[in-house]
Amino acid sequence: MRTLYLFLLTFLSISIAAQDGQVKALLIDNEGQPIIFANVVLHKSADSTIAKIETTDEQGVVNFNGIPFGTYFLKATYIGYQEITRSNIDIKENNKAIDLGKLTFEPSTVQLDEAVITASRVLVEVKPDRTVFNVDGTINSAGDNAMGLLRKAPGVLVDNNDNISVLSRSGVLVYIDGRRLPLTGDDLTNYLQNLPAEQIDQIDIITNPGAKYEAEGNAGIIDIRLKKDKNLGYNGNVGYNVSQGRYMTTSSNASGNYRNKVMNVFATLGGGFGDRYHEMNFTNLQNGFRLEENNLDITDYNMGNFKLGTDFFISPKHTIGFIFSGGGGVADNNSSNNIEIADRGANDIDSILSANNFRETTRNNLNVNVNYAFSDKGQSANVDFDYGRYRNDSYNNQPNTYLDPTRTTVLSVINTAFETPVEIDITTFKIDYEKEIGKGKLGVGTKLSSVGTDNTFLFYNFREEIRTFNERRSNQFDYSENVYAAYLSYGQPLTEKLSFSSGLRAEYTDATGNLMAFLPELQEPPVDFNYISYFPSLGLTYQLNQMNTVSLNYGRRINRPDYDVLNPFNIQSSELSFQKGNPFLRPEIVNNIELGYTLMYRYNFKLAYSQTSDQITRLIAPDDENPKAGFITWENLAEQQIYSMNISAPIDIQKWWNMYINFNAAYINNQADYGDGAVVDVQAGTYSVFQQSTFTLINGFKGEISGYYSGPGVWGGVFRYGPQWGLNIGLQKKFLDEKLNVRISANDLFYTTGWQGTSEFNGLTATGNGQWDSRRVALSLNYSFGNSNVKSRKRKTGLEEEAERVSN
């Protein structure tokens, strides 16, 4: 790997060609201090078009390289200061390198009517309340999807079961455009896998949300922001990408936007099809048996999605918006589950269980949003109403065939099938109000949410190809959850350097899980949850000087068990391998403390501690009825403690070589005692590093090399996993006045992103490994069009900005 990596860097570096000229300057304020990250634009004097855009570095220096001979003028802007202009910059053969010396910003005494900032976004931005992962335009995102991007996001870990954690904390809420996605488990995984990267603008990672956000989600919130053009006039783009790994996948998308002073209309449409591959292997030791299990899944999918919205700026103070979105698709899954059964100490196998499953799934969803925004003289209000409808119909045909060790003689056949339709309806209504009081800002609000899920499990036996309904193994699980919330928040500067934010949120939860059997003797009483919880939050920020900022944040959060982990159905891979939920799970409560430090507005360091009671975790255990069977379920740990750290740093190695590095480390302590020797006492340290290098090549080409390495650690309660790593490369070029963007990438070059590990719990030792179709070559084409001119874009009013935030 190291040899190839050095070869690629060498190849890219020698591809850089020195251009004709250079312009350099030092930008300072009126006190002689350097101005960091000021926006500097070099224009051609002949027609005022932009020749190049740069920002000043940590020393206040801006450097334009590769400038063709000609005459130019320079403009530099920085918030709170007057614009700097320098003209008659003449680059020619005998004057290639021009040093403009010190350029001094003077404080601005006039409010700007318009501001235009055009520059390439950095890959990762660390803001006071969130980390922003800017994925739009990233070369190595070509042909990827939302789940794949989350695997690359800073501080985010996606485990072998597609469970998402942040800073090693589980219990993450996933949002789309600021609205909670009411899906979990396989439903969430399928949604994210069917959301193309080409539709995503950025991913916000909020590890310690304030009182304004709902308290659900121990690890915070991941908000996936989709693309939306904000220019005046009409704009749009169409895209197509194809990727080839073990199987081919394709997707296409189109978006359009029309905006004027009184309204904004936008729409997106996307779709794709292809095949996915996933393989898992386990060696299970339990009850004197050794079981060698192999699972192979191939899914053929076809999906589509749409979004249509409009904002009406009905007056300078009031905006109302509407959004309709939805999607759906079908998936045919062919999977094989083979288990070789033997005595634990024997070398020869006794028999083989072969279960070749076929599952047909249809999914669709529809979402409606109505929003209203008001803004005037230091106060603002937002009202949101949302309704989401999700439907999932699945039919699984599963023959269980027992064979002799030679696979030539059928010992017995047990053919089964099951249908699992799921209906989810979610309705929310919320009001947020903010008002400036003195030097601070007061916020109050309320939210009502209602989630209802109907889960039906219909089990069938086959005898001589005649399907018979099995009432004993069939049932229905209905789960309803109503949450009534209110919050109060306030923040203000205490001194010139010290500021604080605080909040208190109260949530009353009324939830019921009702398991309804088809046979009266199997009926169980419903499980009710009725409780009120309080969630304080506090933040302090201290500006040591212009280059150094320290922050301290505390928050208390909750993670309620949802329909996916409460549902007690036995979802079989075979008769001897299945998973089921636990209807008696308790909600988990976590206290998070984070200490952050930012150096020079770009180097970010974070230390965090979390203590969780009743941690909901995934465990692998032996079945009580069949000594050869094992299953995956969910349980509450008594306590989990996590110490973690994160370092993110963009590094400008050369003008043509920019690097971003993200490092995470954590120490996890899991404790639980379920009696009868079922004990969890696990301590594990883990770390991971992600880097992405971007290279400016000749003739407008850009190159990327990205990769990660993850050290050993622990998933869930007891599954200890080993190290894994991956390397990706990409190339990008724009054509047709930069309207056509062509990207090609190769992901997981060495096919090393698989997982492997061991679980020991309650007499079952499971050692496993897995791999998916991660090694892929992708080609992406994206063409943009429109009549808007970025130079004519006015600085938006607070109302318009708030309206965009709401409609997003």
Side-chain angles (χ1 to χ4, degrees), residues 121-127 129-142 144-158 197 199-206 221-227 648 660-662 690-694 704 706-708 728:
R121 295 185 297 177
V122 296
L123 181 66
V124 174
E125 301 174 74
V126 178
K127 298 184 177 182
D129 64 336
R130 69 193 63 201
T131 298
V132 180
F133 183 34
N134 291 310
V135 300
D136 181 28
T138 302
I139 300 172
N140 286 329
S141 69
D144 213 335
N145 55 53
M147 182 63 81
L149 292 177
L150 287 179
R151 295 181 186 274
K152 304 173 184 178
V156 178
L157 176 67
V158 181
Q199 293 187 16
I200 299 173
D201 179 60
Q202 66 186 49
I203 299 174
D204 292 357
I205 304 162
I206 310 171
I221 294 169
I222 293 178
D223 191 0
I224 300 174
R225 293 282 177 171
L226 305 181
K227 294 179 182 178
S648 63
Y660 168 76
I661 295 177
N662 188 79
F690 170 81
Q691 79 80 30
Q692 178 164 304
S693 291
T694 303
E704 275 185 6
S706 65
Y708 80 96
N728 315 312

Side-chain angles (χ1 to χ4, degrees), residues 94-109:
N94 60 355
N95 192 22
K96 293 183 178 181
I98 297 177
D99 190 345
L100 299 177
K102 294 182 180 179
L103 305 181
T104 303
F105 278 106
E106 296 296 335
S108 176
T109 58

Side-chain angles (χ1 to χ4, degrees), residues 72-306:
Y72 302 86
F73 67 91
L74 176 146
K75 287 187 177 182
T77 57
Y78 195 75
I79 296 175
Y81 291 91
Q82 298 180 22
E83 181 182 83
I84 295 176
T85 302
R86 291 293 182 271
S87 57
N88 298 322
I89 302 172
D90 192 10
I91 303 175
K92 51 190 176 181
E93 181 66 36
N94 60 355
N95 192 22
K96 293 183 178 181
I98 297 177
D99 190 345
L100 299 177
K102 294 182 180 179
L103 305 181
T104 303
F105 278 106
E106 296 296 335
S108 176
T109 58
V110 180
Q111 174 136 18
L112 296 176
D113 290 329
E114 65 178 67
V116 177
I117 300 175
T118 306
S120 297
R121 295 185 297 177
V122 296
L123 181 66
V124 174
E125 301 174 74
V126 178
K127 298 184 177 182
D129 64 336
R130 69 193 63 201
T131 298
V132 180
F133 183 34
N134 291 310
V135 300
D136 181 28
T138 302
I139 300 172
N140 286 329
S141 69
D144 213 335
N145 55 53
M147 182 63 81
L149 292 177
L150 287 179
R151 295 181 186 274
K152 304 173 184 178
V156 178
L157 176 67
V158 181
D159 71 12
N160 61 320
N161 291 300
D162 292 325
N163 297 308
I164 304 168
S165 61
V166 177
L167 294 178
S168 298
R169 303 198 300 253
S170 60
V172 181
L173 280 192
V174 177
Y175 280 53
I176 301 293
D177 284 336
R179 295 175 178 83
R180 180 181 174 184
L181 189 64
L183 299 176
T184 60
D186 292 339
D187 296 322
L188 176 62
T189 298
N190 280 284
Y191 182 93
L192 296 177
Q193 288 178 342
N194 289 326
L195 181 60
E198 282 70 25
Q199 293 187 16
I200 299 173
D201 179 60
Q202 66 186 49
I203 299 174
D204 292 357
I205 304 162
I206 310 171
T207 58
N208 217 342
K212 185 175 182 178
Y213 295 93
E214 58 186 295
E216 180 78 12
N218 286 358
I221 294 169
I222 293 178
D223 191 0
I224 300 174
R225 293 282 177 171
L226 305 181
K227 294 179 182 178
K228 181 182 176 184
D229 204 306
K230 300 176 182 178
N231 292 339
L232 295 176
Y234 71 85
N235 307 274
N237 68 77
V238 293
Y240 174 80
N241 74 79
V242 57
S243 67
Q244 180 66 57
R246 184 180 296 242
Y247 300 101
M248 178 181 290
T249 64
T250 65
S251 66
S252 57
N253 61 88
S255 64
N257 182 88
Y258 175 76
R259 185 186 186 96
N260 58 29
K261 295 181 179 180
V262 297
M263 67 179 300
N264 180 45
V265 180
F266 52 93
T268 62
L269 182 66
F273 61 89
D275 294 278
R276 297 195 187 96
Y277 162 87
H278 190 198
E279 183 176 6
M280 292 190 299
N281 302 287
F282 279 98
T283 298
N284 298 330
L285 303 177
Q286 63 187 80
N287 299 322
F289 295 99
R290 186 184 81 250
L291 298 98
E292 301 285 349
E293 180 178 358
N294 171 263
N295 294 278
L296 177 63
D297 288 278
I298 300 173
T299 302
D300 178 18
Y301 70 92
N302 193 327
M303 60 85 185
N305 61 78
F306 74 91

